[in-house]
Amino acid sequence: RQWTAELAGQQLVQVGEAFRADSRILGASLSTGVPGVSYGSVEELGLPEAAVNDDDEFLANVAAVDAHFLQTFGIQTISGRSIESADDLTREAVAIVDQVLVERLFEGRDPLGRTLLLDAGSDQPRPVTVVGVVPSLQLAGASSEPRPSMLTSIRQFPSTSAFLTIRPRTSSAALLKDLPEILDKRAPDAMLFRSRTLDEAMSATQIDALTLARVFSAVGFVALFLAVTGLYGVLAYRIRQRTREIGVRRALGESSASLIRGLGTKVAWQLAIGLTIGLLLASPWSMALEDPALRTEGIEPSAFLVTAATLIIATLIAMLVPMWRALKIEPSVALRDD
């Protein structure tokens, strides 16, 4: 059989119907894009009354979906209707837009019934009529640049391949294991490329960002360890060098508490100045790592608090342990120490 895009599109629709007939499956949908995972294509959009050129192009993620897409993903329309099974090549092309697209392209005005041009900058743009509005969609990985999104009918914009999204009634792992058998039984002409859960697919799109975050975390822990080790060594050495001074002051009658308090005050001021400078230098770099798509904040109070607490604890240990050892030495011995 010679496959065409139209024939493949019909086959894909039949695959969805076959899976929805399975009692183990609550819902199934075919689409060229999946929220949080992948977009179908990036298209240049425009209004018929507006001239579009390279300077004012409007780009959106566009995915072709079947009539069960919104229900399968639990997406409610804000206004208008969803894609229907009757939206095929015999009817005018329709589309659903998300709120981000409405705010940016229509400036908040009602888009229902309006015509949009797909591939607006080309000689032959494809018109579609807006029939519905949905909340903001992220038709791409979580780490990708957020764009306005549009859904078209997979019957009107057929594709030779698509994502099959399934909502199981039972365990996802069990259904994934049986997926090849179900496909071979109910849709023998279709080919399964890969199967995984939605969480696994979304995690795969974030692998670069997660790898970078892990590298930064590892470097940060190494830097913190080196800072703590260096701080301990410097303070311990300085107190060891002052053993003779401590012996003299004790011989003159100064109490151990007074010695610890005097040294601790000086060290506390040095630590406070160091932490303040570190915070001022770290804040701009931290703000640069802010990414709403990954839900990372520019300033993470917990990270700063953990770092500060670690340095404070290291400082106390580095000061008190050598000081305790120095105070145990008899003044006469300390005075003979070169």
Side-chain angles (χ1 to χ4, degrees):
R1 180 187 298 187
Q2 184 176 359
W3 287 95
T4 63
E6 181 179 354
L7 191 59
Q10 295 175 358
Q11 177 67 29
L12 288 175
V13 172
Q14 293 174 6
V15 169
E17 294 174 349
F19 273 90
R20 282 187 292 274
D22 194 295
S23 60
R24 292 169 291 180
I25 295 173
L26 185 61
S29 172
L30 272 298
S31 61
T32 59
V34 175
V37 177
S38 174
Y39 55 84
S41 61
V42 178
E43 299 279 355
E44 184 179 355
L45 303 184
L47 299 171
E49 63 270 19
V52 179
N53 53 54
D54 293 337
D55 296 328
D56 59 0
E57 65 180 7
F58 183 89
L59 299 179
N61 291 336
V62 180
V65 305
D66 64 10
H68 303 271
F69 180 85
L70 297 185
Q71 180 182 4
T72 300
F73 283 96
I75 301 172
Q76 298 291 330
T77 56
I78 296 175
S79 60
R81 65 174 178 87
S82 63
I83 300 295
E84 298 176 350
S85 300
D87 293 323
D88 55 21
L89 292 172
T90 64
R91 301 178 63 176
E92 66 173 359
V94 297
I96 297 175
V97 296
D98 74 346
Q99 277 188 309
V100 177
L101 191 149
V102 173
E103 293 171 0
R104 295 187 186 178
L105 188 59
F106 294 99
E107 298 179 349
R109 293 170 294 181
D110 185 9
L112 295 181
R114 299 286 297 275
T115 299
L116 282 177
L117 299 179
L118 285 173
D119 199 10
S122 68
D123 296 332
Q124 295 181 328
R126 296 167 292 173
V128 294
T129 301
V130 179
V131 296
V133 179
V134 294
S136 300
L137 298 172
Q138 173 67 7
L139 284 179
S143 59
S144 301
E145 177 187 358
R147 278 201 184 99
S149 300
M150 170 187 286
L151 305 177
T152 58
S153 171
I154 201 169
R155 287 177 176 266
Q156 296 176 335
F157 295 87
S159 173
T160 56
S161 62
F163 293 95
L164 170 64
T165 305
I166 296 173
R167 291 183 62 184
R169 295 182 185 273
T170 56
S171 169
S172 299
L175 188 60
L176 281 176
K177 186 181 299 184
D178 297 337
L179 201 56
E181 179 183 347
I182 299 173
L183 188 67
D184 184 61
K185 178 181 178 181
R186 296 185 175 274
D189 290 333
M191 180 181 296
L192 178 65
F193 175 68
R194 181 188 297 169
S195 60
R196 52 188 175 178
T197 65
L198 184 59
D199 287 341
E200 291 172 345
M202 293 179 69
S203 297
T205 66
Q206 303 175 32
I207 188 66
D208 293 338
L210 292 175
T211 300
L212 185 62
R214 292 189 182 109
V215 170
F216 270 105
S217 298
V219 172
F221 279 119
V222 171
L224 182 61
F225 174 77
L226 293 176
V228 169
T229 304
L231 181 63
Y232 180 90
V234 169
L235 284 176
Y237 176 76
R238 286 182 58 186
I239 295 175
R240 178 68 180 85
Q241 291 295 100
R242 297 180 65 177
T243 300
R244 183 178 180 84
E245 175 192 343
I246 293 172
V248 171
R249 295 171 67 175
R250 288 188 65 200
L252 293 175
E254 187 171 352
S255 66
S256 299
S258 177
L259 287 170
I260 294 175
R261 185 167 54 252
L263 181 61
T265 301
K266 185 176 181 179
V267 170
W269 274 109
Q270 293 173 338
L271 180 62
I273 293 172
L275 288 176
T276 301
I277 295 174
L279 179 63
L280 293 176
L281 293 176
S283 295
W285 291 100
S286 181
M287 293 296 293
L289 297 176
E290 183 175 6
D291 190 344
L294 293 175
R295 300 179 182 179
T296 57
E297 298 179 2
I299 300 295
E300 291 281 356
S302 58
F304 288 107
L305 289 175
V306 169
T307 302
T310 303
L311 291 175
I312 291 172
I313 293 172
T315 301
L316 290 175
I317 295 174
M319 183 186 72
L320 294 178
V321 172
M323 176 66 78
W324 176 72
R325 291 175 179 172
L327 291 175
K328 287 182 65 177
I329 301 175
E330 291 296 327
S332 58
V333 176
L335 291 174
R336 294 198 303 268
D337 190 4
D338 294 329

